[in-house]
């Protein structure tokens, strides 16, 4: 009878009839149901699923929708049946990621898609304001706003304060912010995942999420602010953030680990500075690596190795600095005196054209009287040409030029 009716109806009438017949689908005999079901599939896969649901064939209905790639409909059906994981899976298949997140949050109006930690701060402030106000009970509004931001714990707290204890318990029971964040994570929206975790105070999960994403620097920073320093060091090592590792070892007072870390990362500056006072001779090798020969020589001097320090400076033509360091000490060793004298001469030669007064000073210290006379004579002429006869007289004396001395002495007398 049913078969004849369906076959005789027009296409449009047939569809309407099958939709209306749904209400009685559970009362049909198997043969009639099968025919009605097969007929419904010709119009709509969703309608066919409705027939299966009418006979409590839930799993078959879900499979039907999935097999025909009606993933969004399958997800909604799973959600209705309380099959959260399967609902999420189907929403993700259909690229409806936000809806998948909402399933685990137990929220139907999750407004913020980009939930980075810094996004929507003003809206979070609005929740704060609603909680603090004394005019009326705004906790219900605060709960709604918190839910729209995915702040499940905060929403539940406000529902309780609004006297809606049962709703709060249901929300906490049905929501899972960690799984919601993992949906974003699976779909490469790491900032969105972090946003949900941050707004629900799930800081341990934040670090783990960063680790899984390969962002070891952010993971390390998160662990550091949680005072999980060993985990922070592990992540900093993976990210190459050596400065952060050093800071933690210093904070913990782990000198051996700190030095070992500097050695492993070739941090010559840190090693040189570390050993400079403790073991100056050991610090020299690191200063040499950095080509900081001046400080390396200072370390030789500090260790009482003046000869070696002078040799290093001479090797790198740092004659003036050799003189500067040496003049602070009293030298009795003949080999040191010879090296120092050599430095005076080389420093003088280096300065003769650009700073003749400085060159003269070095020649005097070296005891090279001929060069003293030669440079003094040039300086004397320069000073006389500029009319500075007093200084010219001083240089005339150093040049041992009797005639010039007499001339400038008379010139000064005449002026006075």
């Amino acid at each position: 009878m049913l078969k004849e009716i369906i076959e005789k109806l027009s296409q449009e009438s047939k569809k309407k009839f099958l939709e209306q017949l749904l209400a009685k689908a559970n009362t049909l005999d198997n043969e009639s149901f099968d025919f009605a079901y097969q007929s419904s599939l010709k119009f709509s896969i969703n309608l066919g699923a409705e027939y299966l649901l009418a006979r409590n064939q839930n799993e078959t209905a879900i499979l039907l929708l999935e097999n025909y790639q009606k993933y969004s409909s399958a997800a909604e059906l799973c959600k209705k049946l309380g099959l959260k994981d399967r609902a999420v899976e189907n929403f993700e298949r259909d690229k409806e990621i936000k809806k998948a997140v909402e399933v685990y949050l137990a929220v139907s109006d999750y407004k913020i898609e980009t939930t980075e930690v810094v996004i929507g701060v003003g809206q979070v402030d609005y929740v704060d304001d609603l909680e603090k106000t004394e005019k009326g009970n705004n906790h219900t509004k605060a709960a709604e706003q918190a839910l729209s931001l995915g702040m499940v714990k905060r929403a539940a707290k406000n529902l309780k304060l609004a006297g809606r204890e049962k709703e709060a318990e249901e929300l906490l029971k049905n929501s899972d912010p960690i799984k919601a964040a993992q949906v974003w994570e699976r779909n490469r929206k790491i900032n969105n995942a972090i946003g949900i975790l941050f707004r629900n105070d799930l800081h341990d999960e934040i670090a783990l999420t960063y680790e899984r994403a390969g962002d070891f620097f952010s993971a390390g920073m998160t662990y550091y602010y949680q005072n999980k320093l060993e985990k922070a060091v592990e992540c900093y090592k993976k990210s190459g953030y050596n400065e952060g590792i050093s800071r933690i070892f210093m904070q913990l007072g782990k000198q051996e680990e700190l030095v070992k870390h500097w050695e492993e990362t070739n941090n010559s500056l840190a090693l040189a500075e570390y050993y400079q006072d403790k073991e100056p001779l050991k610090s020299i090798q690191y200063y040499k690596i950095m080509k900081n020969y001046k400080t390396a020589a200072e370390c030789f001097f500090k260790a009482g190795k003046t000869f070696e320090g002078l040799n290093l400076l001479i090797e790198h033509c740092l004659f003036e600095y050799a003189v500067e360091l040496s003049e602070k000490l009293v030298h009795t060793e003949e080999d040191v005196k010879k090296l120092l004298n050599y430095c005076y001469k080389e420093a003088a030669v280096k300065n003769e054209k650009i700073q003749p007064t400085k060159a003269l000073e070095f020649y005097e210290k070296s005891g090279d009287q001929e060069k003293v006379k030669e440079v003094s004579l040039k300086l004397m002429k320069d000073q006389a040409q500029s009319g500075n006869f007093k200084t010219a007289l001083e240089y005339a004396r150093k040049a041992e030029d009797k005639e010039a001395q007499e001339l400038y002495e008379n010139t000064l007398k005449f002026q006075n």
Side-chain angles (χ1 to χ4, degrees):
M1 181 74 171
L2 178 63
K3 182 178 179 181
E4 291 176 8
I5 294 171
I6 293 173
E7 286 178 342
K8 288 179 180 180
L9 288 172
S10 66
Q11 285 295 101
E12 189 60 33
S13 297
K14 192 181 294 185
K15 182 182 178 186
K16 294 291 184 183
F17 176 74
L18 289 168
E19 288 173 349
Q20 294 166 2
L21 186 63
L22 262 174
K24 294 184 177 181
N26 203 34
T27 64
L28 299 174
D29 60 62
N30 291 340
E31 184 179 348
S32 297
F33 175 81
D34 287 341
F35 187 79
Y37 167 64
Q38 292 298 331
S39 298
S40 68
L41 288 176
K42 295 175 183 178
F43 289 100
S44 165
I45 299 302
N46 285 347
L47 182 58
E50 290 291 330
Y51 267 89
L52 293 172
L53 291 171
R55 295 289 282 259
N56 294 318
Q57 296 181 34
N58 298 344
E59 176 63 20
T60 308
I62 295 170
L63 284 171
L64 173 69
L65 293 169
E66 289 175 343
N67 289 337
Y68 281 89
Q69 298 182 4
K70 301 288 184 180
Y71 297 124
S72 185
S73 297
E76 293 292 352
L77 176 54
C78 291
K79 184 178 173 183
K80 184 178 178 181
L81 295 171
L83 303 172
K84 288 186 178 182
D85 293 342
R86 196 161 177 183
V88 167
E89 183 181 348
N90 279 298
F91 275 133
E92 287 189 74
R93 283 174 174 173
D94 213 36
K95 307 300 180 186
E96 294 191 75
I97 311 307
K98 181 170 171 285
K99 286 187 177 181
V101 171
E102 288 173 346
V103 171
Y104 283 136
L105 285 178
V107 173
S108 59
D109 187 20
Y110 180 47
K111 294 176 182 176
I112 300 178
E113 289 192 44
T114 305
T115 53
E116 295 180 57
V117 174
V118 294
I119 298 296
V121 173
Q123 292 166 307
V124 175
D125 290 340
Y126 179 52
V127 178
D128 294 337
D129 293 340
L130 287 170
E131 289 175 343
K132 291 174 184 175
T133 185
E134 295 178 0
K135 293 180 180 180
N137 186 350
N138 280 317
H139 290 295
T140 296
K141 289 183 180 179
E144 291 171 358
Q145 179 68 9
L147 277 176
S148 73
L149 296 171
M151 303 169 74
V152 175
K153 292 182 180 179
R154 189 88 169 263
K157 182 188 80 171
N158 279 286
L159 285 172
K160 287 179 181 179
L161 291 171
R164 296 162 66 179
E165 188 83 25
K166 188 174 180 181
E167 288 180 57
E169 289 176 2
E170 282 295 310
L171 176 62
L172 291 174
K173 177 183 175 182
N174 294 318
S175 66
D176 192 334
I178 293 176
K179 282 191 174 183
Q182 287 171 352
V183 173
W184 283 126
E185 183 184 346
R186 280 197 299 274
N187 290 276
R188 299 182 181 180
K189 298 286 185 180
I190 301 302
N191 286 333
N192 295 32
I194 298 302
I196 288 178
L197 296 171
F198 180 80
R199 288 197 174 96
N200 287 281
D201 300 320
L202 296 165
H203 299 290
D204 288 344
E205 290 296 325
I206 290 175
L208 292 171
T209 301
Y210 278 133
E211 280 195 82
R212 287 192 295 269
D215 186 352
F216 295 108
F217 173 78
S218 296
M221 291 292 284
T222 305
Y223 282 128
Y224 180 77
Y225 288 115
Q226 291 177 300
N227 205 34
K228 295 181 177 180
L229 302 183
E230 289 186 6
K231 288 292 293 181
V233 167
E234 284 180 27
C235 290
Y236 283 159
K237 283 182 177 180
K238 291 176 182 177
S239 69
Y241 184 40
N242 296 323
E243 184 182 335
I245 298 170
S246 296
R247 182 171 64 243
I248 291 173
F249 283 146
M250 286 178 186
Q251 186 176 327
L252 296 173
K254 294 186 174 182
Q255 288 292 334
E256 288 184 13
E257 288 89 339
L258 180 61
V259 172
K260 184 179 179 182
H261 167 64
W262 285 336
E263 289 171 346
E264 289 172 349
T265 56
N266 299 315
N267 192 337
S268 298
L269 177 59
L271 288 164
E273 291 176 345
Y274 175 76
Y275 286 116
Q276 189 166 343
D277 292 325
K278 296 178 176 65
E279 299 178 58
L281 290 177
K282 194 167 185 176
S283 69
I284 291 168
Q285 61 180 306
Y286 300 111
Y287 281 121
K288 283 183 177 180
I289 290 171
M290 295 184 289
K291 298 184 180 179
N292 186 347
Y293 303 114
K294 288 183 177 181
T295 311
E298 287 175 17
C299 292
F300 270 127
F301 275 58
K302 189 180 290 186
K305 303 285 185 178
T306 308
F307 184 80
E308 289 82 351
L310 283 174
N311 261 323
L312 179 64
L313 293 170
I314 290 170
E315 181 184 344
H316 295 283
C317 300
L318 298 169
F319 306 111
E320 288 180 60
Y321 199 68
V323 170
E324 183 183 329
L325 286 182
S326 299
E327 287 185 336
K328 297 175 183 178
L329 304 171
V330 176
H331 304 291
T332 57
E333 304 92 334
E334 284 302 316
D335 53 355
V336 172
K337 286 181 180 180
K338 287 178 182 178
L339 281 181
L340 185 54
N341 197 53
Y342 176 77
C343 290
Y344 283 136
K345 288 182 178 180
E346 291 296 325
V349 171
K350 185 178 178 181
N351 284 280
E352 193 167 336
K353 289 183 179 180
I354 53 174
Q355 289 183 286
T357 53
K358 199 169 187 180
L360 176 60
E361 182 185 336
F362 288 132
Y363 279 130
E364 286 177 317
K365 289 179 178 178
S366 72
D368 191 338
Q369 197 57 34
E370 288 303 313
K371 290 299 292 185
V372 169
K373 289 179 183 180
E374 181 185 324
V375 176
S376 295
L377 196 59
K378 290 178 183 177
L379 289 168
M380 177 193 76
K381 291 176 181 178
D382 291 340
Q383 293 299 314
Q385 284 178 358
S386 64
N388 191 347
F389 300 112
K390 184 178 180 181
T391 307
L393 175 59
E394 292 175 5
Y395 286 128
R397 288 169 179 161
K398 288 185 179 183
E400 297 180 4
D401 188 329
K402 301 293 184 181
E403 187 177 335
Q405 286 181 55
E406 184 179 350
L407 173 61
Y408 298 134
E409 283 171 355
N410 289 332
T411 303
L412 289 170
K413 286 177 183 178
F414 185 80
Q415 286 180 334
N416 294 328

